[in-house]
């Protein structure tokens, strides 16, 4: 097998490279699909880390509002790292972004975006629309 | 002034000699009312003979010049020069020039007077006559000037004395005197400009000195902390930046207050309100930048007064408290707006609660890490603890973000004037908090002095003294 791959490399480097690129893209798509699948399962999905305090703050915020959220602890997930990278790509940022929240399957963002929406008065209608809040 | 007079003379020269003939008579006639008498004129005319005899340079004038008036007096071009300058100077500075020029302008239309006829009968040569008339006019204008402007010009001329009737009024002397005057005036103007330049440079210099002092004090902090690290300097720098921000704050609030009192238009007020919002955005930005270097300084509020520090929440004000204060203090607020403000307060409270809980958890985690470290070689845990403390910056940023969003939302809820008034209320509140801090500091100073005497009565009077100053603030 190794010989074969080596031969491929020697014989057809461009195709080999393209194969690698395609595989990575498929993986990314898989990841994205996985994330999308997860966020569509529940009205409010938080991607967090069990040791992160800001994630705890976000969870407290939703609890205080009486919203049930599905929390995905990425540090306890086998594919957590890749999912974190996917989220970073979604948010178009290079720094660690946890926590990230999705409401109604759509990306809301990080803590500052969430607070901005809440102060705005647009968070509650969004939650109601997603079915996470009934008052 | 002779230069002015000469300027006037040459001003009329393009019109030709005829006007000049008319001029002395008409100007004489015009200024009759100011007390001029013909006796002086007779004297002046009588002197003309003396002038002709005395002045040899006039010979050059008679050396076969054609009737072209302007070429008759080769020395006159100098006066053209002077007059063009003198004319402009007249326009800029002359007090009597206006009257002279006006009299000049009237002259071309005056009919021939007996005097002009008399003048023409004096000499055989027309040229000589013209010359005499020139001189005569000069002399007459001297006298006229004395009569027409009895004020400072008169004194000036008398004081100057150079062109009184005593000296022979030949063209050369006149020219020289005129040039002197011009030069003197020019140098006076130059001196004035130079002094003004000096004054402005002096102002600039004081400004630069102040800036330099400020920069040097900043630079000193940088120098000291060279080995220790940038913590000291960034904290001190933030204190200075905050002080500057406070000054700007005062200025903007005064502008807002004046704008409200002057009842400016809504658009103008909106511009001011948005400017004030940007002002607050600026302080949040600077806090964020400083927090990267020294988060404890910002979170602990070392840059605030004592009373402010007591009520601090994650390095600043609690948005819900501010909104509550505004709900209570603002007048003329519609029902819908009040409901909106209550809603904003509620959301803000929830966010504050969440952030506080997150911060508590952080504290707990750090404490656990440090406390749980083994007595020996607990470096690993210290590193972990340091990593956890880095989250503080994130909390500070979220808290400032909450404050910023709350202020912006407040401006969206309220009308422009209400927003301006709320900024004034907030500014006033913080000013009073700061005043309270300084009052408290002075009170505790007095108290330590008094308690050293162990005299309890005096402490109560001290408290009583403090009461009126508290009541002073009751008119919120």
């Amino acid at each position: 097998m190794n010989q074969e791959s080596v031969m491929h490399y020697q014989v057809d480097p461009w195709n080999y490279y393209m194969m690698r690129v395609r595989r990575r893209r498929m993986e990314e798509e898989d990841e994205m699909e996985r994330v999308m699948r997860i966020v569509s399962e529940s009205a409010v999905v938080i991607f967090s880390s069990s040791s992160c305090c800001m994630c705890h703050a976000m969870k407290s915020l939703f609890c205080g509002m009486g919203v049930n959220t599905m929390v995905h602890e990425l540090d306890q997930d086998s594919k957590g790292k890749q999912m974190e990278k996917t989220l970073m790509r979604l948010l178009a940022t290079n720094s660690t972004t946890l926590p990230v929240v999705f409401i109604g399957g759509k990306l809301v963002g990080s803590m500052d975006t969430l607070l901005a929406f809440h102060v705005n008065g647009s968070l509650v209608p969004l939650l109601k629309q997603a079915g996470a809040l009934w008052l | 002034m002779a230069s002015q007079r000469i300027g006037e003379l040459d001003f009329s020269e393009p019109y030709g000699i005829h006007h000049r003939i008319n001029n002395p008579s008409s100007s004489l006639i015009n200024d009759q009312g100011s007390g001029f008498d013909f006796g002086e004129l007779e004297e002046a005319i009588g002197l003309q003979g003396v002038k002709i005899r005395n002045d040899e340079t006039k010979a050059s004038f008679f050396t076969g010049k054609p009737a072209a008036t302007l070429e008759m007096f080769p020395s006159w071009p100098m006066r053209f020069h002077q007059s063009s300058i003198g004319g402009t100077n007249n326009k800029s500075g002359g007090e009597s020039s206006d009257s002279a020029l006006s009299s000049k302008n009237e002259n071309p239309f005056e009919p021939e007077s007996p005097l002009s006829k008399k003048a023409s009968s004096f000499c055989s040569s027309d040229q000589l006559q013209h010359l005499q008339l020139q001189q005569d006019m000069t002399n007459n204008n001297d006298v006229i000037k004395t009569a027409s402007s009895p004020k400072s010009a008169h004194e000036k001329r008398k004081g100057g004395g150079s062109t009184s009737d005593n000296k022979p009024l030949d063209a050369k002397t006149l020219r020289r005197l005129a040039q002197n005057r011009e030069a003197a005036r020019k140098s006076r103007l130059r001196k004035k400009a130079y002094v003004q330049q000096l004054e402005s440079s002096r102002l600039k210099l004081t400004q630069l000195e102040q800036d330099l002092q400020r920069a040097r004090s900043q630079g000193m902090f940088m120098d000291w902390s060279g080995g220790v690290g940038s913590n000291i300097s960034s904290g001190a720098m933030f204190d200075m930046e905050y002080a500057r921000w406070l000054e700007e704050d005062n200025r903007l609030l005064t502008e807002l207050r004046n704008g409200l009192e002057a009842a400016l238009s809504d658009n103008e007020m909106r511009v001011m309100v948005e400017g004030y919002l940007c002002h607050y955005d600026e302080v949040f930005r600077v806090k964020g930048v400083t927090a990267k270097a020294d988060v404890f300084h910002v979170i602990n509020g070392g840059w605030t007064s004592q009373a402010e520090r007591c009520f601090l929440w994650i390095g600043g004000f609690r948005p819900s408290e501010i909104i509550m204060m505004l709900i209570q203090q603002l007048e003329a607020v519609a029902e819908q707006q009040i409901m909106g403000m209550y809603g904003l307060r509620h959301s803000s409270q929830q966010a504050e609660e969440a952030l506080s809980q997150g911060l508590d958890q952080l504290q707990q985690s750090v404490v656990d890490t440090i406390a749980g470290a083994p007595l020996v070689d607990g470096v690993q845990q210290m590193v972990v603890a340091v990593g956890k403390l880095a989250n503080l910056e994130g909390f500070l940023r979220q808290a400032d973000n909450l404050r910023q969003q709350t202020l912006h939302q407040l401006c969206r809820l309220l009308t422009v004037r209400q927003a301006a008034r709320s900024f004034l209320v907030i500014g006033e509140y913080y000013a009073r908090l700061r005043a309270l801090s300084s009052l408290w500091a002075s009170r505790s100073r007095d108290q330590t002095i008094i308690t050293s005497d162990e005299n309890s009565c005096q402490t109560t009077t001290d408290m009583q003294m403090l009461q009126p100053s508290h009541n002073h603030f009751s008119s919120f």
Side-chain angles (χ1 to χ4, degrees):
Chain A
M1 189 59 184
N2 282 342
Q3 246 183 346
E4 229 180 330
S5 51
V6 164
M7 271 174 64
H8 278 156
Y9 181 68
Q10 282 175 338
V11 168
D12 203 351
W14 178 249
N15 274 343
Y16 185 72
Y17 167 71
M18 283 311 293
M19 208 165 60
R20 290 284 295 272
V21 166
R22 249 179 270 133
R23 200 188 304 164
R24 189 153 27 96
R25 282 224 193 99
M26 274 161 55
E27 283 170 3
E28 285 174 12
E29 279 170 21
D30 286 340
E31 287 302 314
M32 195 67 78
E33 270 182 35
R34 187 148 180 273
V35 166
M36 287 299 138
R37 213 173 346 108
I38 294 174
V39 303
S40 56
E41 282 171 10
S42 185
V44 180
V45 178
I46 302 179
F47 289 99
S48 91
S49 169
S50 48
S51 59
C52 169
C53 309
M54 193 57 82
C55 309
H56 181 78
M58 192 185 268
K59 290 175 218 166
S60 317
L61 179 62
F62 280 114
C63 271
M65 291 169 71
V67 175
N68 260 336
T69 61
M70 186 175 107
V71 178
H72 221 89
E73 305 282 6
L74 290 182
D75 55 343
Q76 290 164 359
D77 193 324
S78 52
K79 294 190 179 172
K81 265 262 174 238
Q82 291 154 324
M83 288 183 71
E84 200 178 322
K85 281 196 194 134
T86 316
L87 290 170
M88 275 160 64
R89 218 178 302 125
L90 268 175
L91 286 172
T93 173
N94 286 331
S95 56
T96 46
T97 56
L98 296 183
V100 179
V101 64
F102 287 77
I103 299 181
K106 278 184 282 201
L107 174 67
V108 170
S110 191
M111 186 65 165
D112 45 2
T113 331
L114 186 70
L115 285 181
F117 277 176
H118 192 34
V119 166
N120 238 332
S122 45
L123 183 63
V124 169
L126 201 62
L127 288 169
K128 285 188 184 167
Q129 202 180 10
L133 204 57
W134 290 289
L135 287 168
Chain B
M1 287 189 168
S3 59
Q4 284 182 353
R5 273 175 271 124
I6 287 161
E8 292 134 31
L9 286 175
D10 295 324
F11 188 75
S12 62
E13 229 173 340
Y15 296 116
I17 279 293
H18 295 290
H19 297 157
R20 208 172 279 121
I21 294 168
N22 289 332
N23 285 342
S25 52
S26 48
S27 47
L28 285 174
I29 289 165
N30 286 343
D31 297 318
Q32 272 298 313
S34 39
F36 175 73
D37 68 80
F38 271 102
E40 284 187 53
L41 179 59
E42 298 283 342
E43 200 187 339
I45 294 166
L47 274 173
Q48 283 189 354
V50 177
K51 280 186 246 158
I52 293 164
R53 273 196 295 275
N54 287 348
D55 205 343
E56 267 100 32
T57 56
K58 292 300 177 289
S60 63
F61 297 149
F62 310 126
T63 51
K65 280 285 176 180
T69 311
L70 296 177
E71 295 169 25
M72 211 164 67
F73 306 112
S75 61
W76 282 109
M78 277 307 296
R79 297 205 199 180
F80 270 119
H81 228 343
Q82 293 165 5
S83 69
S84 55
I85 305 162
T88 51
N89 279 347
N90 285 346
K91 285 177 190 109
S92 59
E95 76 284 353
S96 48
S97 61
D98 287 348
S99 54
L101 280 173
S102 57
S103 62
K104 277 275 161 289
N105 289 334
E106 286 167 33
N107 291 335
F109 309 107
E110 289 285 339
E112 281 215 12
S113 71
L115 183 61
S116 61
K117 292 203 184 95
K118 235 194 259 178
S120 58
S121 67
F122 264 132
C123 261
S124 56
S125 155
D126 277 353
Q127 297 170 344
L128 194 57
Q129 164 196 335
H130 290 319
L131 170 64
Q132 286 163 11
L133 283 169
Q134 287 258 9
Q135 295 166 349
D136 185 30
M137 201 171 58
T138 316
N139 195 19
N140 289 342
N141 277 342
D142 275 348
V143 184
I144 289 159
K145 279 277 164 275
T146 321
S148 63
S149 44
K151 297 177 210 165
S152 55
H154 176 82
E155 261 74 52
K156 267 190 218 167
R157 276 201 319 105
K158 285 291 179 187
S162 54
T163 55
S164 59
D165 296 339
N166 303 329
K167 281 192 188 172
L169 291 171
D170 46 342
K172 217 183 191 178
T173 321
L174 283 174
R175 189 170 71 247
R176 194 167 28 85
L177 294 168
Q179 279 172 341
N180 278 349
R181 276 200 207 85
E182 283 307 311
R185 186 183 292 124
K186 270 187 233 170
S187 62
R188 270 197 299 274
L189 288 173
R190 267 198 304 265
K191 182 182 173 186
K192 200 172 167 189
Y194 179 65
V195 165
Q196 274 177 354
Q197 243 185 6
L198 277 181
E199 287 290 315
S200 61
S201 328
R202 201 184 66 168
L203 281 173
K204 259 186 256 176
L205 185 65
T206 49
Q207 279 276 340
L208 279 174
E209 272 180 3
Q210 279 177 9
D211 287 352
L212 188 64
Q213 263 186 5
R214 212 179 289 151
R216 200 180 282 143
S217 56
Q218 283 184 12
M220 273 201 306
F221 282 111
M222 302 286 256
D223 285 339
W224 288 346
S225 67
V228 180
S230 61
N231 282 353
I232 299 172
S233 67
S234 42
M237 267 176 68
F238 180 74
D239 288 353
M240 271 182 286
E241 295 237 20
Y242 185 67
R244 227 175 289 155
W245 185 86
L246 275 180
E247 284 173 15
E248 180 73 15
D249 196 53
N250 273 330
R251 190 183 70 81
L252 286 171
L253 285 177
T254 322
E255 263 185 37
L256 276 172
R257 195 174 297 123
N258 293 339
L260 277 179
E261 278 172 24
L264 292 180
S265 72
D266 266 2
N267 281 337
E268 289 171 20
M269 289 305 297
R270 187 169 297 120
V271 167
M272 277 203 263
V273 162
E274 276 168 20
Y276 195 75
L277 272 180
C278 288
H279 178 61
Y280 256 104
D281 289 347
E282 181 63 25
V283 79
F284 291 136
R285 187 191 67 81
V286 174
K287 274 166 87 177
V289 167
T290 313
K292 286 189 173 47
D294 188 358
V295 65
F296 278 119
H297 178 78
V298 183
I299 268 193
N300 290 335
W303 43 280
T304 54
S305 62
Q306 283 184 325
E308 281 178 285
R309 212 175 300 152
C310 177
F311 304 128
L312 211 65
W313 175 76
I314 312 188
F317 62 83
R318 226 179 235 279
S320 53
E321 280 177 3
I322 296 290
I323 294 174
M324 199 62 217
M325 181 177 70
L326 288 176
I327 292 175
Q328 286 168 347
Q329 298 300 327
L330 278 183
E331 304 152 352
V333 186
E335 188 69 33
Q336 194 185 6
Q337 286 171 324
I338 294 186
M339 294 312 295
M341 285 176 77
Y342 270 115
L344 179 61
R345 176 168 166 258
H346 185 61
S347 323
S348 177
Q349 267 178 329
Q350 285 173 332
E352 287 165 29
E353 191 60 39
L355 285 176
S356 302
Q357 285 193 11
L359 204 57
D360 283 346
Q361 210 221 15
L362 176 66
Q363 185 187 357
Q364 194 64 45
S365 160
V366 170
V367 162
D368 285 345
T369 310
I370 295 178
L375 282 171
V376 179
D377 199 22
V379 177
Q380 180 70 27
Q381 273 80 357
M382 293 304 279
V383 168
V384 171
V386 165
K388 288 185 180 175
L389 274 183
N391 288 317
L392 266 180
E393 193 208 322
F395 276 98
L396 178 65
R397 199 161 42 85
Q398 294 303 330
D400 276 345
N401 176 40
L402 180 67
R403 289 177 196 121
Q404 193 173 9
Q405 294 296 327
T406 311
L407 285 175
H408 281 263
Q409 179 67 9
L410 196 68
C411 285
R412 275 180 236 126
L413 278 175
L414 300 173
T415 67
V416 176
R417 278 173 208 287
Q418 286 167 338
R421 252 179 282 138
S422 19
F423 287 141
L424 285 173
V425 166
I426 297 173
E428 185 63 30
Y429 166 67
Y430 275 104
R432 290 176 189 188
L433 261 188
R434 284 189 284 270
L436 193 62
S437 300
S438 53
L439 261 182
W440 182 262
S442 59
R443 172 194 172 276
S444 49
R445 250 182 286 136
D446 293 339
Q447 204 169 27
T448 50
I449 294 170
I450 287 163
T451 49
S452 66
D453 295 344
E454 288 180 350
N455 195 340
S456 56
C457 302
Q458 281 184 313
T459 49
T460 47
T461 50
D462 196 30
M463 287 294 285
Q464 283 164 8
M465 263 165 40
L466 205 58
Q467 285 305 319
S469 46
H470 276 291
N471 289 337
H472 173 64
F473 291 127
S474 62
S475 57
F476 212 134

